[in-house]
Amino acid sequence: QGGGKGKGASGSGRSHGDGISVANRFTSSEFKPQDRDPRFQSFMPKKTPWKDIVLSVILLLMGTGMFTIALLCHNGHIHPSRVSKNGFIFLGIIVFLPGFYMSRIIYYAARGAKGYSFDRIPRS
């Protein structure tokens, strides 16, 4: 009926008219993936950042302590005239969040979870 129309010059449907088939077009060595991508290499020293670990634990404990004081003030165990409940909640949030963030990175890096390393800890 059509005499082979629509299949290209070779009849296989894989040629684009320049004599190079699609399968052989991108086999050059310039398109082979590299072993390591330099954009994702870390240039930080490979030692354990003990100073940052201690700082994150201190921030985490201080934030938790401030939340505890605010909770005790709210429940009436500490008289509200001595401390400000809202102040301790605000300061607790400011201190707790960075401590939690850094402690979470340290925990997963110590466990060896994929995508976490001590290089990702913000330096103090």
Side-chain angles (χ1 to χ4, degrees), residues 1-49:
Q1 294 175 340
K5 289 183 181 177
K7 291 279 189 174
S10 65
S12 67
R14 302 203 31 101
S15 177
H16 288 284
D18 56 1
I20 302 173
S21 68
V22 175
N24 294 331
R25 185 173 288 210
F26 297 108
T27 57
S28 173
S29 63
E30 66 186 61
F31 291 110
K32 290 185 180 177
Q34 297 177 355
D35 291 335
R36 295 177 189 260
D37 191 352
R39 295 176 296 170
F40 301 111
Q41 287 182 354
S42 174
F43 298 105
M44 300 295 288
K46 299 293 183 197
K47 62 180 186 172
T48 305

Side-chain angles (χ1 to χ4, degrees), residues 47-49 53 105-107 109-110 116-123:
K47 62 180 186 172
T48 305
I53 292 172
I105 293 173
I106 291 168
Y107 173 75
Y116 290 92
S117 69
F118 289 121
D119 299 339
R120 298 183 63 92
I121 299 173
R123 299 288 174 218

